[in-house]
Amino acid sequence: MAESICRTLRDGSLEGEHAPALTIKDTAASPFGFDVFAYVLSQLSSFILAGKSQSRVVVVVAFTRSPSFYVDLLKRRGLDVTSFHKWIQILDCYTDPLGWKGKLVESGNAMCISDEASSVTHLCKDVRDLDNLYSLILELGKGLAGQGKAHFSVAIDSVNEMLRHASLSRVAGLLSNLRSHDQISCIYWLLHSDLHEVRVTSSVEYMSSMVANVEPLNPSASGQRWDSENVSLLKQNFQKGKLNVRFKRRNGRVRLMCEEFHIEQSGINFTPVSSEDGTINQGLLPKVQFSLQLSEKEQTERAKVLLPFEHQGNGKPIQIYDGRRSLEDNKNEATLASTGNLQRNEASGEGEIIYFRDSDDERPDSDEDPDDDLDI
Amino acid sequence: MLPTGNCTFRATGIVKPSERERVSLVDALMSATKGRTSSFTRNVLSASSSQTPGIKCGPNGTFFVSSGISDLDKILGGGIPLGSLVMVMEDAEAPHHMLLLRNFMSQGLVQDQPLLYASPSKDPRGFLGTLPCPSSKDDKLRNHDPEQEKGLRIAWQYKKYFGENQQSFDGHRGSKQEFCNDFDLRKPLERHFFSGQRVDCVSVKDSPNLVALQDRCTTFLAQFRRNDGSISSVGRIAIQSLCAPQCTHSNMEWDVLSFISYLKSMLWSANAVAVVTFPPSLLSESFCKRWQHMADILLSVRAILDDDKELAKLLTGYQDMVGFLNVHKVARTNTQVPLILEATTFSIKLQKRRFLVLECLNQAPIDGSSGASYGTSGSCSGSSKTGTLEF
């Protein structure tokens, strides 16, 4: 399912449509959003190198990691470093976002970026000016992809950092401008949702066509005190989690998908959901407001109920045959019953009531169809 | 009082759609599509159609314009009354409000009604290229293929066929300009309809406040000043995603409210209607409530989940549905009698992926092996999320 996100981004946008946009959302309870972001970046980069994707170039807008980090990341995934300058550009908003280093007297060589990275890096000194940021992104993308119809994709490290320096409407404006640009084939970004108000998070989700939510496997464990049981659950949360994705499809329906992931040294691994906690099979009974089944207690209570024909009305106990008694008692009971019946006969002078209690073994809807006995 | 979409109170006896994708089925089950209007209304359709195409006389001296969707016109009691403000509450996850807007705009253009369109995109004119074209009568097959079976034909959920009989009655009028066209969403509208001066486009994205939009609305509506004479022309205003996050005015809540009340007052004295869509999930709750109260007609659209097995079991035709439309408020002018709808939730379907259809919800039969009969379980079951059903 993380595969399907990457495939959707890879396929890009159709003519006249907005580019697909992915929001990767995480919280402090399961802070693996960046791992997912790195995974998506490396997957799409490999698609670009293989020539399978609509976009030919990726522009990474790096706010929280230095450009050398990204270069190393892609190197570790096995991508060829020497060709980097052909298909990746990194807009460095990490080293000096507000232009302070330039103002320091002893700035010296402020850039500590590796040689490999510096060839693909472009420094941005003022992240508050979003128009400038927008034009820089376009410049980098078009510069490498060409001016014509060639597409490029944009990866934004952290929307939170952008929101630190600019208002929500400016940031949302930038995102929507990027999405509606003809040459941008897809765009994806990371957002830590607990750093902002709900309104901000929902506005960013409004702007995106896919929302991938990184959640802890055991959400109840994360807020509580450290009991012995909770510790093991919490430990699970340190390495694993759930990825819930909501796709907004073109026809207006929303597709929900869920996967588990596991963080390892080499990266992140996705596995299909193991437990069935999502969709509970309600069974074939319709949802009605009265219960159709009996609980254990109710069943024993039912067995104890004294039915009207089972007592003589004068306090005497059961004197009729019912199938549950053992054989030895039966004989005694039978004689008693017959005498009882005879007594009643004499008393009432009318018909007998011979009552046989139903066997408890018989289930309400047994397999025998009483109509089978009919011979029409 | 009709329930609104986003409030949190629970009223017993009135079931409202819950926040999640599940829909309350009780009012849907108690509904029936009423194809006929009351026999006491005067049939003045023939008289007014000769004056101005696109305007229909309604009860109590009101005039209606079509919303572009014939099902919606029927639900609203004839169409959108002149001078009213329609608000559509968007769902952040689905673009269904665009379907409503497109039909509304196309209907106006086809009937030669000037249009003012405002949107948060940089190039609103680009949207005009996606407006649908009215379909010709040939490709439109509203009726099901009449497979004349010699034997017994069982009309399952027969109420949905009532509308088709109505269609055949309306068709015989034969006037060239219909009140409401059927739009083929796959065919774009011919350019000559919107290339002229009839369409005015405004982008609200980069403007610092709503003053510019307000001025444009004023000048536009000045053409349609209402006087006691006949109606010469009718104008339409379509504002898409007011208060979208990328607009600067999205922070200025009170300014937006004063713009809406200004628009409403202008509309009352003009022969025009306005449709405004907005994303309620991105606004503060009190703000959202105020918006809803300002609307004359309040609709909301909701997305549905793909592959929702439970919903597929509960509703027939789930595969064709793309979303839900809820009608919260219907305008009734010049009368104190409210319009009480038999159903407020409708499913949005695209017939043959081209024609927008709104249908009442029909519940699927309960799985027979459980032994419960359709009737009893139908009235007792419902979405477990609502909870406060009382019978």
Side-chain angles (χ1 to χ4, degrees), chain B residues 67 80 100-108 236-238 273 275:
Chain B
S67 61
I80 305 177
L100 300 180
L101 264 180
R102 282 197 187 104
N103 279 284
F104 174 74
M105 289 164 68
S106 281
Q107 183 68 68
R236 294 188 184 219
I237 297 182
V273 295
V275 172

Side-chain angles (χ1 to χ4, degrees), chain B residues 163-174:
Chain B
E164 293 173 9
N165 287 336
Q166 199 61 24
Q167 191 70 17
S168 54
F169 286 142
D170 292 339
H172 82 286
R173 273 192 288 136

Side-chain angles (χ1 to χ4, degrees), chain B residues 55 79 92 160 217 254 257 337 352:
Chain B
I55 306 178
K160 66 183 178 197
C217 288
W254 290 106
L257 280 174
V337 181
K352 298 184 190 177

Side-chain angles (χ1 to χ4, degrees), chain B residues 190-306:
Chain B
E190 287 143 35
R191 292 213 152 253
H192 68 87
F193 280 114
F194 53 83
S195 55
Q197 291 304 312
R198 263 181 270 138
V199 185
D200 201 7
C201 289
V202 184
S203 167
V204 289
K205 183 167 183 296
D206 295 318
S207 53
N209 48 29
L210 287 170
V211 172
L213 179 61
Q214 196 162 316
D215 291 338
R216 294 286 277 274
C217 288
T218 315
T219 44
F220 180 76
L221 289 172
Q223 310 166 44
F224 309 106
R225 206 43 56 79
R226 202 184 285 197
N227 45 27
D228 285 328
S230 62
I231 304 172
S232 52
S233 63
V234 169
R236 294 188 184 219
I237 297 182
I239 302 179
Q240 181 210 316
S241 298
L242 192 63
C243 250
Q246 62 261 40
C247 302
T248 329
H249 66 257
S250 57
N251 297 328
M252 301 151 59
E253 299 187 341
W254 290 106
D255 287 0
V256 177
L257 280 174
S258 63
F259 166 73
I260 296 172
S261 58
Y262 176 80
L263 179 66
K264 211 173 142 147
S265 62
M266 291 290 291
L267 280 173
W268 266 116
S269 53
N271 288 324
V273 295
V275 172
V276 177
T277 74
F278 68 100
S281 53
L282 306 183
L283 307 174
S284 70
E285 213 176 297
S286 61
F287 186 33
C288 191
K289 258 285 172 284
R290 289 188 165 99
W291 273 60
Q292 291 172 34
H293 278 299
M294 289 220 197
D296 291 319
I297 296 178
L298 184 64
L299 308 171
S300 72
V301 287
R302 270 186 305 136
I304 51 176
L305 292 179
D306 214 11

